[in-house]
Amino acid sequence: MNSLVEKINKLKQEKNAVILAHCYQNVEVDEVADFVGDSLYLSRKAKETDADIIVFAGVSFMAETAKLLSPNKKVLLPRLEAGCFMANMINVESLREFRAMHKGIPAVCYVNSTADIKAECDVCCTSSNAIDVVKNLGSDEVLFLPDTYLGKWVESQLKGKVKVHTYNGFCPTHLRLRAEDVKKSRLEHPNSKILAHPECHHTVSELADFVGSTKEIMEYVRKTNFSEYTIATEKGVFDRLQRDYKNKTFYLLSEKLVCQNMKWNTLDDIYNSLLREEHEITLDEETSQKAMACINKMFEITQPVLVK
Ligand code: 13P
Ligand code: SF4
């Protein structure tokens, strides 16, 4: 066994730590991760754990969410550089301007946002539960931020029942895909099912066979028996599917589907982070309480999912 993996596992035991890894991480991270999954799954795991330390192999908003859900635990982000381009596209000032333009309409924020943005919104959502959150909120109109494409996708799935006003943020990784890439891929692999993340541009999602969160994409592959799948989300999902389903063929829709921020964390960084107990996530009390209310509202209005 890789000695670095052994060293990390030993440290985990000594310090009563868990490692949570998003499925866009470098695939080697899975060797030390206790749980690997999408944002919703990992936030539930952060809430449940009785570990003293959580090392979050992901990006900063995910580690912040873990801290909000487990305020008494030490939450570490292996690399401080691991931010999220989309989350950084909105700040409190621009959020307030957006809300002022649509007075009285509840604001739904995607979990891909900082704690101070969550603190000013009514309810949070992830890509797995965004449709249910917007539907269950019971309002004819909602504000959705920061991702315009996820917001518009939710609106289309609710078939005009809710008017969704979207902020103009986006994910640069998913926006690298064009409808032409999908059309080209169809010609090259006519029997392959194209699976896209709702952060993609709507012209891409409209051409896909299935649109869902990272977890839903992985579940689709698990539950279906097609022989070929084309993955239209970050490469980490493709890498894990290739590793886990040797009898199926996978194509990555574009080599450009790499989120540089998600790829910061290496096994070395995870080891150093746990050894030195750095870089710890800290949040001020007032922001935490308000952001927590926004996240709790999400859990309140959505069905509890069985966490494995
Ligand atoms: P999931 O909610 O599907 O895990 O996606 C997170 C993300 O950052 C997608 O870009
Ligand atoms: Fe943020 Fe996009 Fe990277 Fe997800 S893939 S972490 S939304 S920049």
Side-chain angles (χ1 to χ4, degrees):
M1 196 200 271
N2 179 330
S3 65
L4 190 52
V5 170
E6 280 171 5
K7 276 159 69 179
I8 295 171
N9 286 335
K10 189 160 168 280
L11 263 186
K12 269 201 312 193
Q13 275 195 337
E14 285 167 13
K15 298 194 177 212
N16 188 27
V18 286
I19 299 180
L20 307 184
H22 191 267
C23 47
Y24 288 170
Q25 289 290 288
N26 295 303
V27 77
E28 67 185 36
V29 166
D30 291 11
E31 291 182 58
V32 295
D34 297 278
F35 303 102
V36 182
D38 69 351
S39 310
L40 182 61
Y41 173 78
L42 295 175
S43 56
R44 286 181 187 277
K45 284 295 173 193
K47 199 175 173 188
E48 283 173 4
T49 184
D50 54 11
D52 295 317
I53 298 180
I54 298 173
V55 179
F56 212 114
V59 289
S60 58
F61 76 80
M62 295 179 175
E64 268 190 7
T65 306
K67 181 68 184 174
L68 291 168
L69 290 163
S70 283
N72 299 322
K73 306 206 184 323
K74 189 176 263 190
V75 178
L76 306 173
L77 181 67
R79 290 292 294 242
L80 281 178
E81 299 90 333
C84 164
F85 294 117
M86 181 202 286
N88 294 337
M89 285 179 187
I90 189 164
N91 58 30
V92 170
E93 205 187 347
S94 56
L95 168 60
R96 286 180 185 165
E97 277 168 23
F98 181 54
R99 294 208 72 164
M101 280 177 350
H102 306 276
K103 283 210 172 69
I105 301 178
V108 180
C109 71
Y110 190 21
V111 70
N112 295 32
S113 55
T114 55
D116 50 355
I117 295 298
K118 290 183 178 81
E120 300 231 351
C121 289
D122 299 282
V123 62
C124 186
C125 74
T126 74
S127 57
S128 295
N129 64 16
I131 297 173
D132 283 347
V133 167
V134 171
K135 191 168 63 187
N136 296 349
L137 205 52
S139 173
D140 295 343
E141 292 183 66
V142 299
L143 306 186
F144 194 96
L145 56 108
D147 188 9
T148 201
Y149 296 101
L150 178 61
K152 287 292 168 201
W153 180 73
V154 168
E155 183 176 53
S156 73
Q157 297 309 294
L158 291 175
K159 312 225 177 302
K161 289 195 193 87
V162 182
K163 171 80 193 146
V164 180
H165 303 273
T166 60
Y167 185 81
N168 60 3
F170 59 90
C171 165
T173 308
H174 287 89
L175 263 259
R176 289 186 195 126
L177 287 183
R178 295 275 173 267
E180 295 75 58
D181 297 317
V182 184
K183 289 176 189 159
K184 186 165 168 273
S185 174
R186 280 257 186 247
L187 289 174
E188 283 169 5
H189 310 293
N191 298 320
S192 186
K193 294 288 169 199
I194 299 180
L195 317 181
H197 196 281
E199 287 176 16
C200 289
H201 193 275
H202 58 85
T203 54
V204 168
S205 299
E206 278 158 18
L207 294 173
D209 295 300
F210 175 77
V211 180
S213 69
T214 49
K215 179 168 178 286
E216 287 163 342
I217 288 176
M218 290 167 123
E219 280 296 290
Y220 183 95
V221 172
R222 187 176 69 80
K223 288 183 179 158
T224 56
N225 284 321
F226 303 110
S227 57
E228 294 171 69
Y229 300 87
T230 303
I231 305 305
T233 190
E234 211 276 342
K235 186 173 178 292
V237 169
F238 164 80
D239 291 337
R240 284 168 177 81
L241 289 170
Q242 261 198 330
R243 177 196 64 194
D244 296 342
Y245 298 91
K246 298 275 187 254
N247 58 340
K248 298 182 177 191
T249 303
F250 298 95
Y251 310 104
L252 186 62
L253 189 64
S254 163
E255 287 302 319
K256 291 180 263 178
L257 280 165
V258 175
C259 172
Q260 303 298 348
N261 279 336
M262 278 283 182
K263 302 306 191 201
W264 274 107
N265 305 308
T266 63
L267 286 179
D268 273 315
D269 297 320
I270 291 172
Y271 175 70
N272 289 330
S273 165
L274 193 49
L275 182 72
R276 300 176 193 149
E277 300 191 15
E278 69 186 15
H279 310 92
E280 187 177 352
I281 304 290
T282 53
L283 295 166
D284 79 68
E285 192 54 35
E286 198 190 335
T287 307
S288 296
Q289 282 192 3
K290 289 182 183 161
M292 200 50 232
C294 173
I295 297 175
N296 275 337
K297 178 85 176 170
M298 165 179 88
F299 289 125
E300 222 174 87
I301 67 172
T302 52
Q303 285 290 329
V305 178
L306 200 61
V307 178
K308 281 189 233 132

